[in-house]
Amino acid sequence: MQRRIRMLAVLASAATIMATAAVANAADPLLSQGKPVTASTQSGCCTAAAAVDGDSATRWASTGGVDPSWIYVDLGASVHVSRVRLQWDKSCATAYEIGVSNDKTTWTKIYSTTTGKGGVEDLTTLNGDGRYVRMLGTKRCRTDAAYGYSLQEFGVYGTNGGGGDTVAPTPPGKPELVSATPSSATIKWGAATDNVAVTAYDIFRDGQLCASTAGNVLQGTCNNLNPNVTYGFYVNARDAAGNVSQASETTPVKTPPSNDTQKPTVPTNVKSSNVQSTSVGLSWTASTDNVGVTGYNVFNVSGGTSTKVGSTNGTSITVGGLTPNTAYHLQVTAFDANGNESAGSTPLVDVTTSGGSSCTPSQGMCTVKQVGTDDDVVWGLVTLPDGTILYNQRDAHTIVHMNPATGSKKTIGTVPNVQSTSGEGGLTGLEINPKSFSSDNWLYIMHTSPNDNRIVRIKYDPAADSLLTSTEQVLVSGIQRNKFHDGGRLRFSPDGKYLFAGTGDAQNGDNAQNKSNLNGKVLRINPDGTIPSDNPFGNAIWTLGHRNIQGLAFDSQGRLWEQEFGNSIMDETNLIEKGGNYGWPKCEGTSGSCGGFIAPKKTYPVGSGSCSGITIVHDALYVACQKGERIYRHEISGSSLVNSKQFFSGTYGRLRTVEPAPNGGIWMATSNGGDKDSTPHNSNNKIFHVTVA
């Protein structure tokens, strides 16, 4: 039987789980559609069958003024119920119960509430077994006797038979440093517990798996580290059923410097080429070092002051973001892993950028203008019809409205029920419907909650310039959370019909291949959160086999491209195909057992990648990279990515978000400082407008 992985959760205080045990995951398939259904009463217009027909335009309505009233669906056999999704008409229930039964006589409550608020109520943390599933309404939202209860859709999700171990281990104790060398760190931790047994521990550094131990071993070593660098180490526990714990607390460890004090030789034969209005190419002869050259820095020297304008691990670079018709005096240094840096190259390379404001295809990316700053992690970002932008502060859990023309900004509200993860979770994705936002003003948001990752929508009030949190609707919930690998990017199809979301594997690679689990997937839903009838697996999943999706973008042909983090070998850019399997965890990029999986269109070494957001303008794909501190630009030709170039290498630091801007440019946001600790307002970020070809 296919393993089902569920996470423990605690519902909001207004609701009470009536059964204890593990929580099933919300990607279990829809079981109720088209099944026999019975109701206490029904009106002539609105029969009980309409509640399970998959069409939110139809509905079941009970007779007015009758409490209690009920509706139940016959699933044909006993199943394990993990989720019930209620989509109410205006006649909702303030108080109701969800129950399961095998005989229609004895009912076991698995959920109850007295604070129902209508709309879409997606109950993803249920745990019960039965053939029949019932909604029993005991108090109506509309107390007038003319009204009863009315459900547009009554969706029941689960798996046949149930059973098996679904309880995750507890988080391990906080790691402690045992010893460190310039290239390794050994840590120990307190044991996790499990209802059966802990079988393994996984050690992560800054979100990357670096070592594993058996379940009875509470110490491990991560190798291949760099000297004099601070890493964040934490541990997850696993059991034999594949259930993965939440992460331990993070322990920072700084590796000591090595005894290498020798500087690399000075780069020679530095030459300029391809001088444009906003960029210049440089190349040089490689330096040498007694251990090894790690990379090169490029400086502009003016008035005796050296300003860093780029860095690379190769022997050539395109220095971008320059000012037209301006003199620059460029110098290159070499450095090694221990931080030893050579003297600057001589003589200085004197160049003057050309004049003009055009941006040609040979340039690719041109004028860069800073339009704002922020002290939090800038994640999701959208352009409003008037040309201003909204963006999420990931760790502060707020949405900011900024006018790029003036730099003025205002916090429009705090998104409810967001909880960070001391890692990558928090307030992540932000999107608007390109076809309907001007009339409906819905903001589509992805965030981490205390129990899961979820997709919600909340109205924006343009007149008051504020977030109407009372309008919140939960569209998808039950996406497992963890310290890292929480995904978060949202993207509407160009026609506005479907919302796509990228999720992470919640640090459990098995999730990515589980078609009854929303993690490690591209999801596709209707704007109201219902599941499109042509989705390939009968749930929200569109594609599977992803590690941690960070970027989604559509090209001019309406094709979806996706960007995801690799572990330690390579990141990847994928062209998304309905129902496609992209290989994780067996395959990372093109490394591993990759037969039978869809191959990426482009890969990037993690050391020059850790790429996050993507956008497409004029059928050129722009990829923002964090560890790589650069933008990759690829031209889309058929189903291939060609004429690849790198921009801003080391110029602005870590780059996370790129989004289309009006008039064919892009917005670009940095991710410098505080992007791995969930502490609000401890970052130093900038938002730019970039002119592109």
Side-chain angles (χ1 to χ4, degrees):
M1 181 176 62
Q2 187 178 25
R3 181 172 64 224
R4 290 173 286 115
I5 300 171
R6 298 186 175 91
M7 59 186 288
L8 291 176
V10 179
L11 288 179
S13 59
T16 304
I17 296 259
M18 303 305 296
T20 61
V23 175
N25 110 42
D28 283 343
L30 176 65
L31 304 176
S32 55
Q33 187 165 319
K35 294 295 175 65
V37 62
T38 304
S40 54
T41 60
Q42 61 186 23
S43 65
C45 72
C46 309
T47 65
V52 294
D53 63 359
D55 183 358
S56 61
T58 63
R59 62 190 176 95
W60 161 70
S62 69
T63 299
V66 178
D67 288 311
S69 292
W70 48 263
I71 180 173
Y72 70 77
V73 59
D74 178 1
L75 301 175
S78 182
V79 304
H80 185 90
V81 177
S82 60
R83 175 188 179 199
V84 170
R85 186 179 186 278
L86 303 174
Q87 184 167 342
W88 295 97
D89 194 52
K90 293 181 179 179
S91 296
C92 61
T94 298
Y96 65 90
E97 302 170 357
I98 302 297
V100 293
S101 174
N102 280 313
D103 59 10
K104 298 181 289 183
T105 301
T106 302
W107 294 90
T108 300
K109 296 177 188 178
I110 59 173
Y111 177 83
S112 70
T113 184
T114 59
T115 57
K117 58 183 179 180
V120 176
E121 293 186 288
D122 200 353
L123 315 175
T124 61
T125 57
L126 305 187
N127 183 54
D129 296 280
R131 172 174 174 172
Y132 305 94
V133 183
R134 181 180 70 173
M135 188 290 298
L136 175 66
T138 56
K139 184 177 180 181
R140 289 165 288 124
C141 294
R142 306 168 84 178
T143 57
D144 190 297
Y147 300 106
Y149 298 88
S150 184
L151 276 172
Q152 295 170 344
E153 287 298 311
F154 178 24
V156 178
Y157 299 76
T159 53
N160 294 325
D165 176 20
T166 60
V167 179
T170 61
K174 184 177 181 179
E176 298 178 15
L177 178 64
V178 175
S179 62
T181 73
S183 61
S184 68
T186 299
I187 60 172
K188 64 180 182 179
W189 56 89
T193 61
D194 187 65
N195 64 316
V196 179
V198 174
T199 58
Y201 292 97
D202 295 320
I203 307 173
F204 291 84
R205 58 153 178 96
D206 297 330
Q208 292 183 326
L209 178 67
C210 57
S212 297
T213 71
N216 61 349
V217 178
L218 302 179
Q219 180 171 305
T221 299
C222 288
N223 296 302
N224 301 314
L225 307 182
N226 290 320
N228 208 30
V229 173
T230 299
Y231 298 94
F233 290 94
Y234 62 92
V235 184
N236 286 94
R238 286 185 282 126
D239 63 20
N243 302 305
V244 175
S245 74
Q246 292 295 296
S248 71
E249 295 182 59
T250 299
T251 295
V253 173
K254 186 173 184 179
T255 53
S258 72
N259 57 7
D260 173 27
T261 59
Q262 183 172 325
K263 297 178 181 180
T265 61
V266 176
T268 57
N269 299 318
V270 182
K271 298 178 181 179
S272 64
S273 63
N274 194 28
V275 178
Q276 304 280 352
S277 59
T278 59
S279 65
V280 59
L282 285 181
S283 62
W284 54 88
T285 300
S287 298
T288 60
D289 185 67
N290 62 315
V291 176
V293 175
T294 301
Y296 299 87
N297 289 323
V298 180
F299 298 90
N300 178 45
V301 183
S302 179
T305 300
S306 296
T307 303
K308 184 179 173 181
V309 293
S311 64
T312 180
N313 54 8
T315 57
S316 64
I317 189 174
T318 298
V319 180
L322 306 181
T323 303
N325 200 28
T326 300
Y328 289 90
H329 315 284
L330 302 175
Q331 186 177 64
V332 183
T333 65
F335 59 90
D336 62 23
N338 205 41
N340 301 305
E341 188 167 9
S342 74
S345 60
T346 56
L348 299 179
V349 175
D350 299 319
V351 295
T352 300
T353 53
S354 60
S357 58
S358 62
C359 191
T360 65
S362 63
Q363 292 173 274
M365 304 186 76
C366 300
T367 305
V368 180
K369 178 183 178 182
Q370 182 176 321
V371 297
T373 62
D374 203 277
D375 64 1
D376 207 88
V377 178
V378 178
W379 224 100
L381 184 152
V382 296
T383 305
L384 298 181
D386 65 0
T388 60
I389 63 176
L390 297 177
Y391 63 85
N392 287 348
Q393 293 182 315
R394 187 194 69 184
D395 297 339
H397 309 162
T398 52
I399 299 179
V400 175
H401 188 190
M402 189 181 78
N403 184 345
T406 64
S408 63
K409 57 185 181 180
K410 172 191 174 184
T411 299
I412 65 168
T414 300
V415 177
N417 199 36
V418 182
Q419 185 184 82
S420 296
T421 64
S422 298
E424 291 177 339
L427 183 60
T428 50
L430 182 64
E431 178 66 310
I432 60 176
N433 191 316
K435 297 298 184 182
S436 64
F437 175 77
S438 295
S439 59
D440 64 30
N441 293 317
W442 283 115
L443 300 181
Y444 292 80
I445 299 162
M446 190 165 179
H447 71 82
T448 312
S449 82
N451 304 325
D452 59 9
N453 284 292
R454 55 183 50 193
I455 302 168
V456 304
R457 64 178 182 179
I458 302 176
K459 291 271 190 178
Y460 167 64
D461 183 350
D465 195 20
S466 65
L467 194 65
L468 302 177
T469 56
S470 63
T471 66
E472 180 187 23
Q473 295 180 3
V474 179
L475 305 182
V476 178
S477 56
I479 307 166
Q480 294 178 16
R481 55 167 274 167
N482 217 310
K483 185 185 291 286
F484 284 77
H485 303 193
D486 292 292
R489 197 67 65 179
L490 297 176
R491 187 72 64 202
F492 261 103
S493 57
D495 60 11
K497 291 183 178 180
Y498 306 109
L499 178 65
F500 291 81
T503 69
D505 68 4
Q507 299 191 224
N508 182 349
D510 289 346
N511 285 341
Q513 292 296 323
N514 186 344
K515 295 177 184 176
S516 294
N517 184 295
L518 294 176
N519 290 85
K521 310 294 192 302
V522 173
L523 308 181
R524 176 182 183 252
I525 61 173
N526 294 316
D528 65 358
T530 56
I531 306 301
S533 60
D534 60 341
N535 274 16
F537 307 112
N539 52 26
I541 296 170
W542 189 246
T543 62
L544 67 156
H546 304 285
R547 181 176 178 269
N548 191 18
I549 297 172
Q550 295 283 294
L552 296 171
F554 281 92
D555 64 19
S556 64
Q557 299 180 53
R559 301 178 301 179
L560 181 63
W561 296 78
E562 173 262 2
Q563 185 68 36
E564 67 184 86
F565 285 152
N567 181 54
S568 59
I569 302 173
M570 60 185 77
D571 299 340
E572 58 191 74
T573 304
N574 292 301
L575 180 57
I576 294 300
E577 302 176 19
K578 175 181 177 179
N581 190 333
Y582 291 80
W584 177 257
K586 292 183 177 180
C587 180
E588 179 182 347
T590 57
S591 175
S593 301
C594 297
F597 299 121
I598 298 176
K601 297 301 180 181
K602 188 68 67 172
T603 62
Y604 318 80
V606 168
S608 55
S610 292
C611 301
S612 183
I614 61 174
T615 194
I616 296 174
V617 177
H618 303 148
D619 273 342
L621 174 69
Y622 297 86
V623 183
C625 301
Q626 295 181 74
K627 187 174 183 179
E629 298 187 351
R630 68 195 71 186
I631 294 284
Y632 288 96
R633 181 185 187 271
H634 313 289
E635 295 177 10
I636 299 173
S637 177
S639 60
S640 300
L641 298 176
V642 301
N643 297 330
S644 301
K645 296 181 179 179
Q646 301 177 31
F647 295 87
F648 314 135
S649 295
T651 305
Y652 303 111
R654 295 164 62 87
L655 301 175
R656 179 181 296 275
T657 294
V658 283
E659 292 289 342
N663 303 317
I666 65 172
W667 306 117
M668 180 176 74
T670 67
S671 192
N672 292 317
D675 64 354
K676 294 182 183 297
D677 59 15
S678 295
T679 303
H681 305 301
N682 70 337
S683 300
N684 180 25
N685 288 316
K686 299 176 181 179
I687 302 173
F688 301 94
H689 179 274
V690 184
T691 304
V692 300

